[in-house]
Amino acid sequence: MTTMSFKTFTFPHNPEKITVTTETRIATAHCPEYGPIHQNLGLARRVIRAEGIFYGANAKAQYTALEALMWQATAGNLRIPGMGVVVAFPTALSYTGEGDGTVLRYTAEFTELIASTDREGTRYVD
């Protein structure tokens, strides 16, 4: 199995939990005498959530390296173990320190970039 990575950052250990959420966008309008009418607007952007632990003397440095990518205003390749590569933006990052700071539980969230010129976006390309 490959190791999870985003842009130049490779996670030292794969996250304990990876959740990929895919939703369909449905629009509903009410028509008098006919009732509600539903229209499928297609798939929304997928949201990838990773939860894991950085540990050891350099746990804070590992988190800081990932956090630095949050400040960049560009999408990048997100390699998801067992699933492939998605182009995504980092949208949320948090951590909880435990003990003397050598254990940091993190949660990272990424939102898929779907190019406006390609309706299918960059879904799991390798």
Side-chain angles (χ1 to χ4, degrees), residues 23-53:
E23 296 178 349
T24 299
R25 296 174 295 162
I26 302 292
T28 303
H30 182 75
C31 275
E33 298 184 27
Y34 291 103
I37 295 176
H38 306 285
Q39 180 181 8
N40 185 336
L41 300 177
L43 292 175
R45 296 175 180 189
R46 287 180 289 191
V47 175
I48 299 94
R49 184 180 175 98
E51 299 175 35
I53 300 173

Side-chain angles (χ1 to χ4, degrees), residues 6-7 69-76 88-90:
F6 177 67
K7 289 186 178 181
L69 298 177
M70 289 285 295
W71 293 97
Q72 297 177 359
T74 58
F89 283 100

Side-chain angles (χ1 to χ4, degrees), residues 20-23 44-48 83 85-86 110-114 120 122-124:
V20 179
T21 304
T22 305
E23 296 178 349
R45 296 175 180 189
R46 287 180 289 191
V47 175
I48 299 94
M83 298 178 96
V85 177
V86 167
F110 302 89
T111 301
E112 176 184 30
L113 170 67
I114 299 176
E120 290 300 313
T122 52
R123 303 202 176 241
Y124 300 129

Side-chain angles (χ1 to χ4, degrees), residues 33-112:
E33 298 184 27
Y34 291 103
I37 295 176
H38 306 285
Q39 180 181 8
N40 185 336
L41 300 177
L43 292 175
R45 296 175 180 189
R46 287 180 289 191
V47 175
I48 299 94
R49 184 180 175 98
E51 299 175 35
I53 300 173
F54 294 132
Y55 55 87
N58 61 348
K60 182 64 174 174
Q62 292 167 349
Y63 178 85
T64 303
L66 182 57
E67 184 182 40
L69 298 177
M70 289 285 295
W71 293 97
Q72 297 177 359
T74 58
N77 287 337
L78 174 64
R79 179 170 302 281
I80 305 168
M83 298 178 96
V85 177
V86 167
V87 177
F89 283 100
T91 50
L93 181 65
S94 64
Y95 80 89
T96 303
E98 295 181 12
D100 61 357
T102 60
V103 176
L104 295 179
R105 293 189 174 277
Y106 68 85
T107 300
E109 186 176 279
F110 302 89
T111 301
E112 176 184 30

